[in-house]
Structures are given as C-alpha cells and as structure tokens.
Amino acid sequence: MSIEDDIALLETVPMLNMLGRDALRAIAISADNRPLNRGEILFREGQFAEAAFVVASGTLSVAREDANLARRPGQTIQVGRGALLGEMALLTETKRPATAMAVEPSTVLRIPRVIFMRTIEGYPDVAVRLTQALTNRVQDTLAELDAVRRRLDALEPAPRRPR
C-alpha cells in the first residue's frame, strides 16, 4: 500500500480520524504493513502490547482465551477493514486483553506506541482533541456502569425457600 492508501485507511478509523491529515501522514510514514496468513496469530491475550493495529484487508477474530474473563464463554468477534485493535497500547503500557487471529489472509497496519506518542507531541492540538474524546468515552462508560448499578440495586433478592 502507498502512504496515501495508508492515510485513507487511517481516516476511516474514528479514533484516528480526529487527529487530522497531517498527523495521520506522520503516522502512516512510520507504520508497518504486516501480512497475515489464514490462522496466523497477530497477538495473544496477556502479551505486552507496544503497538496497535488497523485492519487493512481481510478478517480477524478476537477472543478471550481465559473463559473466566470473557463476557460470555466462547464469545468471539470478527473485525474487518478499518478496525482498530489494541488502541490502549497507543497510550499506555498494557497487556493484550484478548487474542487476535486471521480468519483469512489479511493485512494489518502496525502503529507503534512510540510513533503515536511522538506524533501527538508534535501536534498539541491533536492531543487536546484526543484527550477530549477519551474523556467523553470514560464519562459514557461511567454512565453505563451507573445505570447497571441502579438496575442491580433495584433487584430484590429472591426469597429463600424453606428446606
């Protein structure tokens, strides 16, 4: 893929699109295209994450290997072109929360955290937009959790049956 193709791909990703074309160009210049064969593992749950990936072509499955941590045992999602995998790795040291595997021959664009952070440092207005977007996401998540808490609080415990 050309740099222009990579920029066009990055523009389809909501979290990255807010960065603007100049910042995306800087990221695209340093990002790596990585081909994956069918069945190839991109990353495993629990591995240290130093980069995020944008799916350029193909389909990947993402699943929790630890059934105790999965929302629903055996739950797998499939993602395709434009999906951003491992976005938290762009911002902080973290471990992979799931395993990603190519369902078919695929290509991903690898964005190392160091490149992303350097780009953010070079574009302070981008950092402000990103901070606001992440703040909004955290607030939305907290509101959803509060709604769940209220629903749980409203549940009455089931009456105990005599033995």
Side-chain angles (χ1 to χ4, degrees), residues 58-77:
T59 305
L60 281 77
S61 69
V62 181
R64 300 295 304 252
E65 290 183 358
D66 184 341
N68 294 324
L69 298 176
R71 290 185 185 169
R72 289 185 294 272
Q75 181 183 22
T76 299
I77 62 167

Side-chain angles (χ1 to χ4, degrees), residues 49-147:
E50 81 298 335
F53 300 90
V54 176
V55 179
S57 66
T59 305
L60 281 77
S61 69
V62 181
R64 300 295 304 252
E65 290 183 358
D66 184 341
N68 294 324
L69 298 176
R71 290 185 185 169
R72 289 185 294 272
Q75 181 183 22
T76 299
I77 62 167
Q78 291 193 350
V79 297
R81 182 175 170 77
L84 177 61
L85 302 174
E87 65 188 28
M88 288 309 297
L90 294 174
L91 304 170
T92 187
E93 291 185 13
T94 187
K95 290 186 177 182
R96 302 286 180 196
T99 296
M101 180 183 71
V103 174
E104 60 186 348
S106 304
T107 304
V108 295
L109 191 63
R110 180 180 175 274
I111 305 170
R113 176 177 40 256
V114 65
I115 298 302
F116 185 81
M117 294 306 286
R118 253 190 243 144
T119 302
I120 297 300
E121 289 170 5
Y123 295 89
D125 58 316
V126 167
V128 170
R129 287 194 303 268
L130 183 61
T131 300
Q132 186 59 53
L134 292 173
T135 299
N136 292 343
R137 284 176 70 181
V138 168
Q139 289 173 343
D140 290 346
T141 300
L142 291 174
E144 289 173 18
L145 289 172
D146 192 46

Side-chain angles (χ1 to χ4, degrees), residues 8-25:
L9 172 64
L10 296 175
E11 286 177 325
T12 68
V13 180
M15 180 182 160
L16 299 178
N17 186 31
M18 76 177 78
L19 304 181
R21 193 159 181 85
D22 289 341
L24 292 180
R25 179 176 297 284

